[in-house]
């Protein structure tokens, strides 16, 4: 019997159905159903014989799904209905007992949170691999000088190791964000029923243990309406993808002939269909462009959830395609970033010569004045005058004559030339977290410690 006198309109069916995408929840759905039926037997809600039959049936359905033998029917609305339909075909009407003390509302929330937790762990492992690669690269290029930039204008020289480690810490925070996502999703929704709880004395803690959750959701209304775990995953993914886009953008710039700082391996580049000389850093370009797609999924889901009354609403079905596409995109781009960095080569000479001109020493000259009691603001102005004077005459700072110097910056003397001669403005950045080598080496030690912590 059905409550409905008419069959669904095909257009409604097409709109309402989620099976074309939520089949990806199948492994989680089978796992949760097995745990659920075992719990039902343990609590005396179904007989052990029935539970064993249902479990065997679920195993058979799982095997069909794994082997690509599962046949969908046109009226399978979603993966939950499809699995139960097939289960009942295999084991007979006893299959109908599986849905005792459960609603699709707590069931789907449980599948989705299980998916999120699995993929948050996958993202952490992939981030860890990327972080390891960055540390290894930083170690291989510890004292390679390069220009550091602000506004994409040469600003102050830094070591390549220092620049690469900047990404390490960004990805370290992404790793922490996925850790938060795991910590905040450690509550099992299953057992909430449709929204109010169920009419059976279920053992939710037993279920939580079986499905790898620390505890159970406190409130059945919250449990079936909650999708925070998807928002948390998407937020962490969007930030990580944004970091990947920055890394990709720099590799694109640095691979250009204008920069000539690096070359990606052939395995991560493509040629041109018309210009035989070209080698394009496509992987880096795609890292750059995939980020907004992931961020859009986050914004999109905020749009779906905002203003939704409690509890379950069909709108929530719209969480899945966003989540799946975000995790696919993130996992692919993290793997691509790691692979690309493993094969990258840097051009020491090009970087060094770009870092060699004297103008980045301007801050150091200003600081020399500060050491002589000139307020920094004033020193900044004096050196700006010197730089302008030198630029107008096509000179390097060290080519400014002693006479010119006494006029433009009377506080300066031979120490000025000594400073420029020494060219020590990398090693002078000795403050904690700065680019001087001893500081970079400390940083590498901390990075190693962070790697150990992140793998715990
Ligand atoms: N396909 C649905 C979804 O993704 C499953 C839950 C349906 N629940 C309901 N009460 N109609 O959200």
């Amino acid at each position: 019997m059905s409550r409905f006198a008419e069959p669904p309109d095909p257009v409604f069916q097409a709109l309402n159905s989620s099976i074309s995408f939520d089949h990806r929840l199948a492994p989680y759905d089978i796992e949760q159903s097995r745990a659920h039926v075992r719990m039902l037997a343990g609590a005396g809600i179904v007989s052990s014989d029935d539970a064993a039959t249902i479990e065997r049936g679920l195993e058979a359905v799982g095997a069909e799904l794994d082997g690509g033998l599962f046949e969908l029917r046109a009226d399978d609305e979603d993966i939950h209905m499809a699995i139960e339909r097939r289960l009942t075909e295999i084991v007979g009407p006893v299959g109908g007992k599986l849905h005792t003390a459960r609603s699709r509302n707590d069931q789907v929330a449980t599948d989705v949170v299980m998916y999120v937790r699995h993929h948050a762990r996958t993202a952490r492992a992939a981030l860890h691999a990327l972080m390891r690669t960055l540390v290894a690269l930083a170690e291989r290029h510890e004292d390679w000088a390069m220009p550091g930039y602000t506004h994409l204008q040469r600003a102050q020289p830094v070591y390549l190791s220092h620049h690469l480690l900047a990404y390490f810490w960004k990805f370290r925070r992404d790793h922490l964000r996925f850790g938060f996502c795991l910590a905040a999703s450690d509550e099992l929704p299953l057992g909430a029923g449709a929204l109010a709880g169920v009419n059976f004395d279920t053992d939710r803690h037993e279920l939580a243990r079986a499905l790898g959750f620390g505890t159970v959701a406190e409130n059945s209304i919250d449990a079936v309406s909650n999708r925070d775990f998807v928002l948390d995953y998407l937020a962490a993914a969007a930030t990580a993808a944004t970091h990947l886009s920055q890394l990709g953008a720099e590799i694109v710039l640095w691979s250009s002939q204008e920069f000539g700082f690096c070359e990606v391996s052939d395995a991560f580049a493509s040629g041109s269909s018309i210009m035989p000389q070209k080698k394009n850093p496509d992987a880096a370009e795609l890292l750059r462009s995939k980020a907004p797609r992931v961020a859009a999924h986050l914004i999109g889901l905020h749009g779906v959830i905002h203003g939704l009354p409690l509890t379950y609403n069909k709108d929530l079905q719209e969480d899945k395609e966003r989540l799946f596409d975000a995790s696919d995109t993130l996992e692919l781009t993290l793997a691509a970033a790691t692979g690309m960095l493993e094969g990258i080569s840097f051009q020491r000479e090009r970087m060094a010569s770009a870092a060699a001109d004297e103008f980045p020493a301007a801050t150091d000259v200003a600081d020399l004045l500060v050491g002589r009691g000139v307020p920094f603001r004033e020193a900044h102005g004096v050196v700006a005058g010197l730089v302008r004077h030198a630029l107008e005459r096509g000179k390097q700072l060290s080519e400014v004559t002693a006479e010119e110097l006494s006029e433009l910056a009377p506080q300066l003397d031979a120490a000025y030339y000594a400073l420029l001669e020494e060219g020590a403005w990398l090693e002078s950045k000795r403050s904690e977290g700065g680019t001087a080598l001893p500081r970079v080496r400390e940083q590498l030690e901390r990075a190693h410690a962070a790697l150990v912590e992140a793998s715990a």
Side-chain angles (χ1 to χ4, degrees), residues 77-140:
E77 180 185 317
D78 60 27
I79 188 63
H80 324 291
M81 304 288 258
I83 289 175
E84 195 181 317
R85 189 260 307 155
R86 183 70 192 126
L87 170 71
T88 309
E89 286 169 4
I90 296 174
V91 303
V94 67
K97 294 194 177 186
L98 171 62
H99 214 51
T100 311
R102 185 172 74 170
S103 152
R104 263 191 301 160
N105 298 350
D106 56 348
Q107 182 178 3
V108 70
T110 301
D111 282 357
V112 176
V113 73
M114 287 170 75
Y115 181 98
V116 161
R117 289 168 67 74
H118 177 90
H119 287 274
R121 291 196 179 94
T122 306
R124 271 162 69 97
L127 282 163
H128 197 266
L130 177 56
M131 287 156 65
R132 276 199 311 271
T133 303
L134 283 164
V135 165
L137 268 186
E139 280 170 343
R140 282 215 302 281

Side-chain angles (χ1 to χ4, degrees), residues 279-402:
K279 176 169 168 184
N280 302 321
D282 299 45
E285 295 168 83
L286 288 163
L287 291 185
R288 191 170 61 180
S289 56
K290 292 286 190 190
R293 168 176 176 151
V294 179
H297 292 321
L298 171 65
I299 305 302
L301 189 61
H302 274 292
V304 168
I305 296 175
H306 98 281
L308 265 195
L310 304 182
T311 58
Y312 179 82
N313 297 273
K314 196 59 177 262
D315 311 52
L316 292 176
Q317 182 163 286
E318 287 291 306
D319 59 354
K320 289 167 203 61
E321 287 162 290
R322 292 183 166 85
L323 173 62
F324 298 156
D325 187 67
S327 59
D328 289 346
T329 305
L330 183 70
E331 287 164 23
L332 185 60
T333 49
L334 281 171
T338 303
M340 183 181 70
L341 287 181
E342 276 165 1
I344 202 166
S345 50
F346 292 100
Q347 310 301 327
R348 186 169 200 159
E349 291 313 314
R350 286 286 295 202
M351 291 185 138
S353 75
D357 84 54
E358 286 175 355
F359 289 103
T363 316
D364 297 68
V365 177
D367 287 344
L368 187 64
L369 287 168
V370 169
R372 296 177 175 194
V374 181
F376 180 78
R377 276 287 147 242
E378 200 180 308
H380 184 281
V382 170
V383 180
L386 259 176
V387 167
R388 182 165 165 189
H389 178 90
L391 282 174
E392 280 169 1
R393 283 156 189 78
K395 288 180 172 185
Q396 285 287 340
L397 286 176
S398 56
E399 289 164 354
V400 171
T401 64

